[in-house]
Structure formats: structure tokens, C-alpha cells
Amino acid sequence: MEEEKPPFVSVLVPVYNRATLIGPCVESALAQSFGDLEVIIVDNASTDRTWSVCEELATRDRRVRIFRNETNVGPVRNIAVCLEKARGHLGKLLFSDDLIFPEFLSRSVPFLEDSDTGLVFTATRVGVLDGETRVDYAWSEEPEVVPTERYLIKALLTNTLPVSPGCALFRTADLRKNLTPDIPSPTISDWLDHGGGPDLLFYLLTASQYKQVAHLVEPLSFFRAHPGSITTSDRTGFLTARYQQARIWFAESRGIAGIVPKLLAREWIDTMIRERKFTSPGQSSARYTRSSSLSKSEALRYAGLAIARKLLSVLGRKRV
């Protein structure tokens, strides 16, 4: 009997207690105009009807392969299980509360035929289905392929590029290699509980291993805002601090000149705004690194830049 040819793309859907959301998510993957794919769903021991919905989806389409953890292993380890089951050359992480539009893969896959391109990401609609949305990550002023150095500077120093891989396509081997379950930190140790930080490192680590990154200005993915979303409910800066830690660790470990003090200055400003009290630059930087300390002169030098970037980030959000 002839061995079945593996699919070219694996769409990876880690899920926990998303019975009302998982169906549309998976259906958006199956509706792709690029058909050479599989959908890997790994249920992280859900306590609602999620597994029953997964079984129904697998019954309806043979491209859907479903697995279930005996116990909840946390979101990061669940992504690792998805990657373990994947057979495709390319890997598309699709979180269970998000969607991709039918042309996502057909528009993205050709970019990764170039061995110099590490990943491709698209602009994203964010909001409520059949309601108000905004478009994020539309890097429209840049060409569709940008040098890695320019991408990394923008990814590290602004909030205008994605942290969630839900709007990106990678090589599966790179996702496996760059899954980072633990990020060294003086104060943060809960990386396995939420995935905020390790998801950003998929981008940063992968990009750093290639010459260039590709970007599509069309919003070909949809991040659904809903009460159960950890991103939507991040009112205290919980995730913000973890993403900053990931950026600072990456910049330090890669020796990217001049980036770390700018990151520390931005976090110093953000922390004071968030907590509404003064914190010394040294105290703030000690939360994120033992290798570098933000001096008063550096803090004053970069504080204006940090405030300006924050203001531009707020003003630049495009609502459609």
C-alpha cells in the first residue's frame, strides 16, 4: 500500500474550554483556498463540550486530526504537543478563538519558497464578528519583504507588530526549534501558565536566523475580542511586562547594540503610568535584568522617546 503523502501545511489549534469558538476557528482553516493542509487540534483536558465539538469536526473532514491530553499541561506545553503531531513542512499556529480568511495560506505560502525568508505575517482585524473592528499590523509603508534588522528594531521598540503567531506562517521546524518554555528573568517565572512571551519569541528567534521577513498588508486573519481572552482582559499590564521581559532577554542574548537601555526606559515609563507612582530607573530595570541597569542619564535620554512612541501607538490605531 502506497504511503500517504504528508500535507504541506499543518494548521495547529491548541484549545481549552472553547466549545463555542473552536468550530468557526477550525472551519476557517478548512475553508482555505490552499487545500494541501491538515488541521491538528489538541484539547488540553477541557471541562466543557470542547472535545465533543472536536470529534464532530474530525468526523466531517478527514483533514482534521484530534488529540486530547489526559491532564491540562498548560498552553505552552500544549503547543509543543501540537508541534509533535504536525506532519507539514509549514506550520500555522491558529489559536482557538481566532480565524483566518480563505486566502491566508495561498497568499502566505509563496513567500516561504524563498529560503532567505524566515516567516510571513499579515495585517489582522481585531474586534467582534459582525461588529466594530480595527486593523492592526498593517505595515503598509514598507515593501512586502523587509530585512531582518529593520524588522527586529521595529518589533523590539514598538507595539505595531504582532506578538501572537496567529497571524503568521512559519516553517514547522523553526516553530519546534524556537519554542522557548522558560525565559530567564529576575522576577517572572510563570511562562508555562499563559504563553505571553514565548509566543513573541517565535517571531524574534525565527527572524534572527534568516535574512528577511515577509509581510502582507491585507488583513487576512481575525483576532476575536471576547471576555475570555487573556489579551482583552489585560488591564493590569500582566502580559505587557512579560512581553517586555521577552524583548529584553532576546536583545541581551543577541547583543543588539543600543536596544536594551531603550527597552528598559520604555518599561520604566510604562510602569510608572500603570502603577501611578514613581519608581527609580534602577528599580525598574532590576525587575527584568541582572546584566544591565538603567542609569539616570540613560533614563532621561530615552524617556522622551518612550513617551513619544507610546503616544504614537495610541494615536495610530486604525478603526474601520
Side-chain angles (χ1 to χ4, degrees):
M1 184 176 179
E2 186 177 350
E3 185 175 348
E4 181 182 4
K5 179 184 175 182
F8 194 68
V9 179
S10 294
V11 180
L12 311 172
V13 186
V15 61
Y16 174 71
N17 281 2
R18 291 281 192 259
T20 61
L21 299 175
I22 183 67
C25 168
V26 172
E27 287 164 1
S28 78
L30 296 173
Q32 293 296 296
S33 58
F34 183 96
D36 189 7
L37 60 84
E38 66 177 357
V39 178
I40 303 291
I41 308 173
V42 180
D43 177 27
N44 205 7
S46 292
T47 57
D48 64 359
R49 292 187 58 257
T50 294
W51 180 244
S52 297
V53 177
C54 293
E55 290 179 313
E56 181 181 346
L57 291 165
T59 300
R60 296 206 311 252
D61 195 311
R62 63 187 299 271
R63 293 175 296 172
V64 177
R65 301 171 60 218
I66 60 173
F67 305 89
R68 191 180 195 190
N69 299 324
E70 292 184 3
T71 60
N72 190 308
V73 298
V76 178
R77 289 194 180 99
N78 201 32
I79 291 173
V81 177
C82 289
L83 289 167
E84 177 187 326
K85 304 297 184 183
R87 300 178 297 173
H89 172 61
L90 303 182
K92 166 78 194 92
L93 266 168
L94 181 60
F95 295 124
S96 56
D97 49 356
D98 297 330
L99 309 169
I100 47 176
F101 295 119
E103 299 303 312
F104 181 93
L105 289 178
S106 62
R107 294 282 285 119
S108 299
V109 167
F111 285 98
L112 294 185
E113 293 173 358
D114 186 340
S115 61
D116 288 335
T117 302
L119 62 98
V120 54
F121 69 94
T122 79
T124 305
R125 287 195 177 276
V126 182
V128 181
L129 285 176
D130 300 322
E132 184 182 2
T133 67
R134 68 175 188 267
V135 174
D136 282 350
Y137 317 132
W139 198 356
S140 58
E141 67 273 20
E142 298 288 349
E144 289 188 325
V145 177
V146 296
T148 290
E149 182 179 359
R150 294 188 69 186
Y151 166 80
L152 287 177
I153 290 173
K154 196 174 183 76
L156 289 168
L157 291 179
T158 77
N159 292 320
T160 60
L161 297 184
V163 294
S164 167
C167 61
L169 182 67
F170 299 80
R171 294 175 180 86
T172 305
D174 289 327
L175 288 173
R176 291 185 178 123
K177 177 171 61 176
N178 295 321
L179 178 61
T180 308
D182 185 40
I183 302 169
S185 171
T187 57
I188 301 172
S189 60
D190 59 352
W191 303 106
L192 294 173
D193 296 336
H194 48 78
D199 53 357
L200 171 59
L201 288 178
F202 280 132
Y203 284 99
L204 299 179
L205 292 170
T206 300
S208 69
Q209 294 154 12
Y210 290 87
K211 292 182 180 180
Q212 58 197 28
V213 167
H215 169 251
L216 286 162
V217 299
E218 301 98 322
L220 297 176
S221 50
F222 194 110
F223 290 174
R224 285 189 281 186
H226 60 94
S229 167
I230 187 171
T231 303
T232 301
S233 59
D234 185 33
R235 307 297 184 190
T236 63
F238 175 88
L239 284 181
T240 300
R242 281 145 184 81
Y243 285 125
Q244 280 296 80
Q245 178 66 88
R247 291 184 179 100
I248 291 165
W249 171 78
F250 173 83
E252 283 189 324
S253 66
R254 293 301 183 275
I256 303 177
I259 293 290
V260 173
K262 293 177 182 179
L263 287 170
L264 291 172
R266 189 175 78 175
E267 184 56 24
W268 175 55
I269 295 295
D270 286 349
T271 298
M272 289 191 293
I273 292 173
R274 190 166 59 244
E275 297 180 356
R276 298 183 180 182
K277 65 179 182 180
F278 178 79
T279 300
S280 73
Q283 285 178 313
S284 178
S285 61
R287 297 179 181 181
Y288 299 97
T289 176
R290 293 191 177 95
S291 302
S292 306
S293 181
L294 185 65
S295 67
K296 290 182 180 179
S297 61
E298 287 175 322
L300 293 173
R301 179 182 177 186
Y302 294 120
L305 177 64
I307 293 172
R309 288 191 184 280
K310 189 173 185 65
L311 179 61
L312 288 172
S313 175
V314 173
L315 295 178
R317 289 175 183 166
K318 179 181 177 184
R319 295 190 176 271
V320 296

